[in-house]
């Protein structure tokens, strides 16, 4: 009689073991992701270093590094389609910026609403603090910049640098001393970095409970048939 239970028990316990192990793996991934986010937040909030002390910033080592720079915008800009909660559609303003040391870099000055798209933004002197960033926003589905309107659909640092004749370096403003020209800074944060590992862990553990319940139900039905 016990032989009738062996197959369902092996299937049930094996399935539970696999599902629990997947849940535990997601718990470990959650701890890793939380540590990573904490490290990034620490880097974002660190005291800024002058950009001119970083002659060739590394996209891997220097991403999120807090920097400061002074100089002026050139009047050359790229508008990237964007939007803000409570403000609606608009644009992220990417400017070519000439530093006091003579470097040309990109600065993400922040957001302007749709109505401010065509407002003049002539060259202006600024002292900037912000964070180096190389956002990964371009994929196979991202359309190229619209040649007719000049509108971009993602921040592509190498392509924007080539278009504006700057180094492939983007500083996302945290604050700026000078005429903001109606642009609201949108500082770098970790909000866009997905962290769904807790939900995944709950899902795997829930499936393990369901599997255990189904196994018990099957064993109960086998027992009824044998009585």
């Amino acid at each position: 009689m016990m032989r009738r239970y062996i197959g369902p028990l092996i299937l049930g316990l094996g399935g539970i073991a696999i599902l629990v192990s997947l849940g535990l793996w997601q718990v470990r991934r959650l701890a890793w992701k939380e540590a990573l986010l904490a490290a990034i937040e620490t880097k974002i909030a660190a005291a800024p270093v002058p950009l001119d002390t970083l002659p060739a910033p590394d996209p891997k080592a220097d991403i999120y590094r807090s920097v400061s720079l002074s100089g002026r915008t050139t009047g050359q800009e790229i508008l990237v389609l964007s939007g803000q909660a409570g403000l609606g559609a608009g644009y992220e303003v990417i400017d070519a910026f000439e530093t006091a040391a003579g470097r040309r870099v990109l600065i993400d000055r922040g957001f302007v609403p749709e109505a401010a798209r065509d407002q003049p933004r002539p060259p202006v002197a600024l002292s900037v603090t912000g964070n180096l960033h190389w956002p990964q926003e371009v994929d196979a589905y991202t359309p190229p910049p619209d040649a007719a309107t000049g509108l971009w659909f993602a921040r592509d640092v190498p392509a924007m640098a080539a278009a504006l004749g700057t180094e492939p370096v983007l500083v996302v403003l945290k604050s700026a001393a000078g005429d903001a020209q109606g642009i609201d800074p949108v500082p770098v944060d970790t909000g866009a970095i997905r962290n769904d590992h807790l939900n995944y862990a709950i899902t795997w553990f829930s499936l393990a409970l369901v599997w255990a319940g189904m196994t018990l139900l099957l064993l109960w039905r086998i027992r009824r048939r044998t009585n």
Side-chain angles (χ1 to χ4, degrees):
M1 182 175 114
M2 289 300 297
R3 291 179 183 177
R4 298 181 182 181
Y5 295 98
I6 293 175
L9 273 173
I10 291 174
L11 180 63
L13 294 176
I16 292 168
I18 292 171
L19 293 169
V20 169
S21 66
L22 289 170
L24 292 173
W25 178 69
Q26 288 296 340
V27 169
R28 292 193 294 271
R29 292 284 293 174
L30 174 63
W32 167 80
K33 180 59 73 68
E34 289 179 340
L36 175 64
L37 292 174
I40 291 173
E41 288 169 356
T42 298
K43 201 171 184 180
I44 290 172
V49 300
L51 180 65
D52 289 331
T53 64
L54 304 170
D58 186 308
K60 291 184 179 180
D62 293 313
I63 189 169
Y64 304 118
R65 182 184 291 274
S66 182
V67 296
S68 61
L69 59 160
S70 295
R72 63 188 297 108
T73 63
T74 65
Q76 300 169 281
E77 69 178 22
I78 286 172
L79 297 179
V80 182
L81 187 65
S82 185
Q84 290 289 312
L87 297 175
Y91 308 93
E92 204 79 11
V93 180
I94 312 296
D95 271 2
F97 189 82
E98 292 182 352
T99 73
R103 297 174 67 178
R104 282 175 61 92
V105 298
L106 299 167
I107 60 170
D108 183 337
R109 297 181 64 187
F111 178 80
V112 293
E114 171 70 36
R117 173 178 177 175
D118 296 323
Q119 289 183 0
R121 287 178 283 272
V124 62
L126 296 173
S127 293
V128 170
T129 62
N131 298 91
L132 294 174
H133 199 27
W134 289 266
Q136 302 297 314
E137 296 178 349
V138 178
D139 58 27
Y141 302 100
T142 304
D146 189 318
T149 63
L151 184 63
W152 290 55
F153 300 95
R155 292 178 297 177
D156 183 340
V157 173
M160 292 189 303
L164 296 184
T166 72
E167 298 177 37
V169 173
L170 175 67
V171 179
V172 180
L173 263 66
K174 185 182 298 181
S175 63
D179 184 0
Q181 297 178 316
I183 305 171
D184 294 323
V186 182
V188 170
D189 61 25
T190 58
I193 301 176
R194 294 183 61 183
N195 184 14
D196 295 327
H197 297 295
L198 179 58
N199 291 334
Y200 293 150
I202 291 172
T203 299
W204 289 122
F205 289 138
S206 297
L207 288 172
L209 287 173
V210 171
W211 195 280
M214 292 175 63
T215 300
L216 290 174
L217 177 61
L218 178 59
L219 293 174
W220 176 77
R221 294 182 66 179
I222 293 172
R223 183 174 181 275
R224 288 196 64 183
R225 287 200 302 265
T226 57
N227 288 342

